[in-house]
Amino acid sequence: TCILTPALVSGQAFGAFLYKHCPVVAERFSPTPWCWGGRLQTLVCAVLKSRPAVTYRNELIPTVDGGQISLDWMDNQDSATYPDSSTRPTVLILPGLTGNSKQSYVLHALNQARRRGYRCVVFNNRGLGGEELLTPVTYCAANTSDLEHVVQHIKGLYPSAPVLGAGVSLGGMLLLNYLARKRTDSGMVAGITISAPWNALKSAASMEEPLNWLLFNRYLTAGLCSAVTRHRKVLEKVVDIDHVLKAQTIREFDERFTSLLFGYKSCSDYYFDASPDNKLHNTTVPILCLNAADDPFSPQHAFPLTTIQSLPNVALLLTAHGGHIAFLQGLFPRGESYMERLFGQFVQAAFEHPKDIRKACGVTDEHASPPSVG
């Protein structure tokens, strides 16, 4: 399929809402002229993208199994739009596979939210936020219990402040699986995903193509193994660490570590459970998903276009180019790009026009979208 301009796959009413409140949706996406292909966009973004300065307030919250989760807050106390912290809208950011609050895409997302007066909190997956791993439990795309715990914690601190979930790559899979599982009881007013893989099995196959393995897969696998090594003393109680560390691909790592840790009979079972494409119909809140057709991590043939077309609350913005968490524009693409502008505009639209977005998405249950205050 040739996608010349961004294609919006959505229900009619949600599409109209997005065109009205998110002008970037109607723009033609022109990638950096010298950086056209998806692989190149992905690599160049990792090297060139600027890193806005952010000062975090770290919070460690205990979990029921005796573990801990590291949250990094950007409180935005100087917010002129929402001076009362009790009603200041909160963006909950879920980073990618080996990512944390230090990733450039997280820092840029925070910038977009901060300038609009919102608060942000980054949910660092267990063992990746610089904290000690207290129990032999890490994270996976299918297990939403830690995310549920974090959302309850945020709502407990600020019960009158609306929460929006933003998931990037694996974080997007986790967010979609959470929203599908919790349905009208998610505690979120909306969700946005960027470069989320829709089918874990198809993504694994794409990432095992020789060039993708050479450029991305082995690097990410090394990052996963590095995290295991860092927490070896705790994890060696439940898995064969030496066998895990010999993994050459993400799939081998998941076979030897993730699927075992979370009680799956096979890696295939885990991948089925982790794939959001087969449970998207259970979601109820408004969700915007951004994907590029040339993303080596999330192949185009896995996009659930037919499913999304049948749902009033989900929209997929599909670009021909953009790679994985890149979407670079301009001759020297260091700063704000298409991805960041879409994120900022959608977050603002969801927080500032709660009734309109609920109506456009056919949301009638108040539990799914608590009214915005402020």
Side-chain angles (χ1 to χ4, degrees), residues 101 119 128 152 177 180 196 211 217 246 264 324 334 368 370:
S101 61
R119 169 175 47 229
L128 294 183
Q152 288 173 348
N177 288 332
L211 195 51
N217 199 328
K246 290 174 185 170
Y264 290 98
H324 190 69
R334 278 182 57 75

Side-chain angles (χ1 to χ4, degrees), residues 12 22 54 67 100 113 178 181-182 216 274 281 285 295-296 345 362:
Q12 191 173 355
C22 304
V54 172
N100 56 29
Y178 169 79
R181 196 157 287 155
K182 298 299 290 182
F216 310 113
H281 60 278
V285 303
D295 183 346
Q345 290 175 14

Side-chain angles (χ1 to χ4, degrees), residues 2-340:
C2 182
I3 306 151
L4 296 176
T5 56
L8 185 66
V9 181
S10 69
Q12 191 173 355
F14 193 18
F17 174 89
L18 291 170
Y19 279 117
K20 180 179 179 181
H21 296 290
C22 304
V24 71
V25 170
E27 286 180 20
R28 180 186 176 89
F29 172 67
S30 298
T32 295
W34 54 269
C35 187
W36 200 264
R39 294 186 184 101
L40 192 57
Q41 279 256 331
T42 306
L43 290 168
V44 168
C45 182
V47 175
L48 272 191
K49 199 77 172 181
S50 64
R51 305 176 65 81
V54 172
T55 302
Y56 287 117
R57 173 178 63 84
N58 183 258
E59 180 186 19
L60 292 174
I61 62 170
T63 59
V64 289
D65 67 312
Q68 60 183 358
I69 298 169
S70 172
L71 300 179
D72 282 316
W73 292 86
M74 189 277 296
D75 295 296
N76 208 0
Q77 299 286 23
D78 299 327
S79 172
T81 322
Y82 293 92
D84 183 356
S85 67
S86 69
T87 56
R88 189 177 303 139
T90 304
V91 181
L92 171 58
I93 299 176
L94 287 62
L97 182 63
T98 58
N100 56 29
S101 61
K102 298 181 178 70
Q103 310 306 127
S104 64
Y105 57 79
V106 172
L107 302 176
H108 278 276
L110 259 66
N111 242 6
Q112 293 287 331
R114 177 168 52 190
R115 75 172 70 148
R116 290 171 167 86
Y118 308 136
R119 169 175 47 229
C120 285
V121 56
V122 185
F123 165 35
N124 296 294
N125 284 309
R126 289 204 209 189
L128 294 183
E131 83 287 5
E132 284 298 308
L133 199 62
L134 300 181
T135 58
V137 177
T138 54
Y139 62 95
C140 76
N143 189 298
T144 59
S145 57
D146 276 0
L147 177 54
E148 182 173 351
H149 185 58
V150 167
V151 173
Q152 288 173 348
H153 177 72
I154 295 168
K155 297 301 288 184
L157 292 173
Y158 306 106
S160 299
V163 176
L164 179 145
V168 182
S169 192
L170 178 122
M173 298 173 77
L174 182 63
L175 177 64
L176 291 169
N177 288 332
Y178 169 79
L179 291 174
R181 196 157 287 155
K182 298 299 290 182
R183 303 195 182 207
T184 59
D185 194 30
S186 69
M188 295 183 184
V189 296
I192 180 171
T193 69
I194 294 169
S195 299
W198 289 97
N199 182 289
L201 207 57
K202 291 176 182 177
S203 284
S206 176
M207 289 290 281
E208 285 161 11
E209 292 174 14
L211 195 51
N212 290 340
W213 177 82
L214 189 68
L215 295 174
F216 310 113
N217 199 328
R218 63 176 187 152
Y219 169 78
L220 283 168
T221 305
L224 291 166
C225 290
S226 175
V228 168
T229 301
R230 194 162 61 247
H231 302 293
R232 181 173 189 132
K233 282 189 177 180
V234 175
L235 295 171
E236 65 187 2
K237 300 170 186 174
V238 291
V239 291
D240 181 348
I241 299 293
D242 291 331
H243 185 53
V244 170
L245 296 180
K246 290 174 185 170
Q248 296 294 305
T249 65
I250 295 169
R251 194 199 308 246
E252 285 184 358
F253 179 88
D254 286 336
E255 283 170 350
R256 300 171 187 192
F257 182 81
T258 316
S259 55
L260 289 177
L261 208 64
F262 286 92
Y264 290 98
K265 290 180 180 177
S266 68
C267 187
S268 297
D269 285 354
Y270 162 50
Y271 279 178
F272 179 80
D273 207 20
S275 301
D277 61 351
N278 57 52
K279 50 185 87 73
L280 199 57
H281 60 278
N282 289 327
T283 63
T284 61
V285 303
I287 305 168
L288 174 61
C289 308
L290 174 64
N291 284 94
D294 63 359
D295 183 346
F297 291 63
S298 183
Q300 183 185 355
H301 65 268
F303 298 164
L305 302 178
T306 306
T307 301
I308 290 172
Q309 283 172 331
S310 70
L311 298 173
N313 65 303
V314 183
L316 172 63
L317 187 61
L318 186 55
T319 61
H321 306 284
H324 190 69
I325 330 174
F327 300 92
L328 302 177
Q329 292 176 303
L331 283 174
F332 195 57
R334 278 182 57 75
E336 176 184 297
S337 70
Y338 186 86
M339 176 174 77
E340 286 85 19

